[in-house]
């Protein structure tokens, strides 16, 4: 095999490009590509240049590791909800739906689907709280994008209003499965994990008859503590949730840092000061856990770091960046509920109308009265993000 053929094949496989797809991209047959990669056919200069350029393009745009904010909770020592909406979230108040709540001891909240602003009674030192789930973070990113702002700007605004982060989840998405989560679990059982965490937990399930697996999750540290890690097979979770083949799920593994109270506030402070999310995430991981291979030394701290774990951390140091995935999809759960639970009944009435030569369905729709919350959802559906910005 020629050196150039070996290099092309190695790079193609590393990038996860199938031979048939690569051959199609460069306009040759799969058998011709095979001969090139095996060194049995000399590559014309123009084709070699095209192949190398294409591989370089795929390499530069390879999606392997990314980190995202997956949950945010920030408290403010103020009862001035209007200022929080206007100067922190930058969302016009009329686009937020107000409702009562007892969550965390608060009495009410303004929400735009999964973007929430909770408030307490006057004199209650809970003040005001912003909470966003993972999907809420993606929704809020559409407002940041429309304003030409970033998460750094958001946290700077929070700091200006003396906001304190009481919980932050940072998720690292692994598109290449740098490590095997079940293998890491086995290494913990074998004592091949060096960690500042004292406890761990895990979850896993499957089917006895078929041997089908439903994925493994590992929790390093107590889930009731101010900091713990969650490592799990995201592809199994999504395949089951969306009822799709596991190979169709892009994200293979997810590694989550979940911090509360002072731990959360300290991490945000370090990120804001350095301007780097990935650098601090990698530092935390390196400080708290490493997987090793059993050696001859008695003390496991002297054992060699497992190559795959070392490669994962190394790649994080080189490639990991904070990414955003803005979405303008609001109240998807409501639509999903209608599609699953209501639409079949509406279809039945529609078919009955056709058979009986009546118009009952349209009559029901025309006579229906929307609730205040439904009117709010309707306003969101037909509005542009840019129009909602304060």
């Amino acid at each position: 095999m020629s050196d150039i053929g070996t290099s092309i094949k190695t790079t193609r496989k590393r990038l996860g490009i199938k031979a048939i797809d690569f051959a199609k991209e460069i306009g040759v047959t799969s058998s011709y590509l095979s001969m090139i990669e095996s060194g049995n056919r000399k590559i014309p200069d123009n084709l070699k240049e095209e192949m190398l350029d294409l591989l370089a393009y795929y390499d530069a745009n390879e999606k392997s590791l990314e980190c995202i904010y997956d949950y945010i909770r920030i408290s403010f020592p103020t009862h001035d909800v209007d200022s929080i909406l206007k100067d922190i979230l930058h969302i016009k108040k009329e686009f937020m739906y107000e409702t009562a709540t007892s969550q965390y001891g608060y009495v009410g909240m303004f929400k735009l689907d999964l973007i929430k602003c909770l408030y307490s009674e006057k004199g209650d030192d809970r003040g005001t709280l912003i909470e966003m789930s993972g999907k809420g973070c993606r929704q809020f990113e559409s407002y940041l994008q429309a304003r030409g702002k970033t998460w750094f700007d958001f946290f700077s605004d929070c700091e200006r209003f003396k906001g304190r982060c009481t919980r932050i989840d940072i998720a690292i998405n692994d598109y290449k499965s740098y490590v095997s989560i079940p293998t890491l679990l086995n290494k913990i059982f074998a004592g091949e994990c060096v960690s500042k965490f004292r406890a761990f937990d895990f979850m896993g399930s499957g089917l006895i008859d078929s041997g089908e697996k439903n994925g493994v999750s590992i929790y390093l540290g107590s889930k009731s503590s101010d900091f713990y890690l969650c490592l799990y097979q995201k592809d199994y979770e999504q395949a089951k949730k969306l009822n799709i083949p596991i190979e169709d799920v892009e994200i293979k593994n997810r590694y989550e840092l979940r911090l509360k109270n002072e731990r959360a506030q300290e991490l945000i402070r370090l990120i804001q000061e350095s301007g780097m999310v990935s650098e601090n995430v990698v530092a935390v991981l390196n400080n708290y856990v490493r997987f090793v291979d059993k050696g001859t030394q008695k003390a496991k701290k002297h054992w060699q770091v497992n190559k795959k774990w070392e490669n994962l951390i190394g790649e994080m140091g080189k490639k990991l960046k904070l990414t955003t995935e803005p979405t303008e999809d609001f109240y998807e759960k409501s639509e999903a509920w209608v599609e699953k639970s209501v639409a079949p009944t509406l279809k039945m009435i529609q078919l009955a109308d056709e058979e009986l030569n009546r118009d009952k369905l349209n009559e029901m729709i025309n006579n229906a009265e929307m609730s205040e919350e439904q009117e709010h959802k309707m306003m969101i559906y037909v509005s542009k993000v840019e129009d909602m910005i304060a």
Side-chain angles (χ1 to χ4, degrees):
M1 187 183 291
S2 67
D3 288 343
I4 186 64
T6 302
S7 176
I8 288 172
K9 185 174 184 178
T10 300
T11 304
R12 176 179 63 75
K13 285 193 166 186
R14 175 176 64 80
L15 295 171
I17 307 170
K18 294 179 180 178
I20 189 171
D21 294 330
F22 189 62
K24 187 177 180 180
E25 285 274 1
I26 59 176
V28 301
T29 64
S30 296
S31 57
Y32 187 80
L33 174 63
S34 178
M35 286 189 287
I36 288 175
E37 292 185 340
S38 63
N40 294 324
R41 179 64 65 92
K42 185 178 179 181
I43 316 175
D45 289 341
N46 63 329
L47 181 59
K48 179 172 71 174
E49 185 176 343
E50 183 179 352
M51 294 171 79
L52 293 176
D53 285 346
L54 184 59
L55 289 172
Y57 171 79
Y58 278 123
D59 199 17
N61 292 277
E62 180 191 20
K63 201 172 187 180
S64 58
L65 289 165
E66 67 181 10
C67 69
I68 57 174
Y69 286 122
D70 200 49
Y71 184 95
I72 289 172
R73 199 163 66 209
I74 302 176
S75 64
F76 299 86
T78 179
H79 292 88
D80 187 356
V81 182
D82 289 354
S83 290
I84 300 299
L85 298 178
K86 179 178 178 295
D87 299 318
I88 303 294
L89 292 176
H90 295 274
I91 299 175
K92 293 177 181 175
K93 189 175 181 179
E94 57 263 34
F95 289 98
M96 305 288 287
Y97 178 70
E98 186 175 12
T99 183
T101 185
S102 59
Q103 190 176 1
Y104 310 130
Y106 290 87
V107 296
M109 72 170 148
F110 289 88
K111 67 174 185 173
L112 201 167
D113 199 3
L114 297 173
I115 304 171
K116 301 176 181 179
C117 180
L118 294 82
Y119 57 86
S120 60
E121 293 180 331
K122 298 293 184 183
D124 188 329
D125 60 8
R126 288 182 181 87
T128 308
L129 183 82
I130 286 176
E131 181 182 53
M132 296 180 236
S133 64
K135 187 59 181 291
C137 290
R138 307 289 77 77
Q139 292 171 340
F140 186 64
E141 284 169 351
S142 68
Y143 294 95
L144 289 174
Q145 183 182 63
R147 294 173 53 231
K149 300 296 183 180
T150 68
W151 281 111
F152 290 99
D153 297 310
F154 168 74
F155 285 114
S156 292
D157 286 341
C158 291
E159 184 179 6
R160 187 161 52 87
F161 276 74
K162 299 182 180 179
R164 292 193 63 80
C165 185
T166 58
R167 180 174 163 185
I168 184 81
D169 290 3
I170 298 179
I172 301 167
N173 292 327
D174 176 357
Y175 290 84
K176 294 186 66 174
S177 191
Y178 282 93
V179 294
S180 162
I181 302 297
T183 297
L184 295 184
L185 181 59
N186 287 333
K187 292 185 88 59
I188 293 174
F189 286 136
E192 296 179 326
C193 178
V194 180
S195 177
K196 286 187 176 182
F197 296 116
R198 296 183 62 187
F200 81 97
D201 196 0
F202 67 95
M203 292 179 61
S205 62
L207 300 177
I208 294 175
D209 291 342
S210 64
E212 180 184 344
K213 300 174 182 176
N214 290 330
V216 172
S217 300
I218 303 172
Y219 301 91
L220 295 172
S222 169
K223 284 182 273 188
S224 62
S225 67
D226 282 355
F227 174 43
Y228 69 96
L229 296 175
C230 177
L231 318 174
Y232 65 99
Q233 293 175 287
K234 183 73 172 177
D235 50 358
Y236 280 92
E237 178 204 62
Q238 289 296 296
K240 183 178 180 181
K241 179 180 178 181
L242 302 175
N243 194 28
I244 60 175
I246 193 168
E247 56 269 19
D248 290 348
V249 181
E250 279 193 287
I251 302 171
K252 305 307 177 186
N253 293 335
R254 175 171 277 189
Y255 321 111
E256 293 184 6
L257 287 74
R258 301 177 180 177
L259 303 96
K260 293 188 295 187
N261 304 322
E262 291 304 318
R263 293 290 185 91
Q265 179 62 25
E266 177 64 12
L267 182 58
I268 289 299
R269 184 188 66 78
L270 290 172
I271 289 172
Q272 289 298 104
E273 286 181 357
S274 66
M276 295 289 293
V277 177
S278 57
E279 182 181 282
N280 286 284
V281 166
V282 172
V284 170
L285 286 172
N286 270 328
N287 190 37
Y288 273 85
V289 63
R290 71 178 187 276
F291 289 89
V292 297
D293 296 326
K294 188 168 291 185
T296 56
Q297 304 95 329
K298 187 174 182 179
K300 67 170 67 176
K301 66 180 181 180
H302 297 305
W303 295 353
Q304 290 291 316
V305 177
N306 177 262
K307 291 297 182 185
K308 288 193 173 181
W309 179 259
E310 185 177 42
N311 183 48
L312 169 63
I313 299 300
E315 290 296 290
M316 284 185 188
K318 291 185 290 185
K319 297 182 178 179
L320 192 62
K321 293 181 180 178
L322 179 68
T323 61
T324 57
E325 301 169 1
T327 179
E328 296 182 24
D329 293 331
F330 297 100
Y331 298 105
E332 283 184 318
K333 285 186 178 180
S334 296
E335 291 186 351
W337 175 76
V338 170
E339 184 176 0
K340 183 178 180 180
S341 304
V342 180
T345 302
L346 296 179
K347 182 71 173 180
M348 179 187 70
I349 297 172
Q350 182 186 55
L351 293 174
D353 283 351
E354 293 172 1
E355 286 289 327
L356 300 173
N357 193 28
R358 66 182 192 184
D359 199 20
K360 188 70 174 177
L361 182 59
N362 280 329
E363 286 178 16
M364 292 169 63
I365 293 173
N366 290 332
N367 291 331
E369 291 187 10
M370 291 193 295
S371 67
E372 186 180 344
E373 185 172 5
Q374 288 168 332
E375 290 178 352
H376 162 74
K377 290 178 181 179
M378 182 63 189
M379 180 173 65
I380 300 301
Y381 283 142
V382 300
S383 299
K384 295 180 180 179
V385 165
E386 291 81 1
D387 297 332
M388 303 185 213
I389 293 174

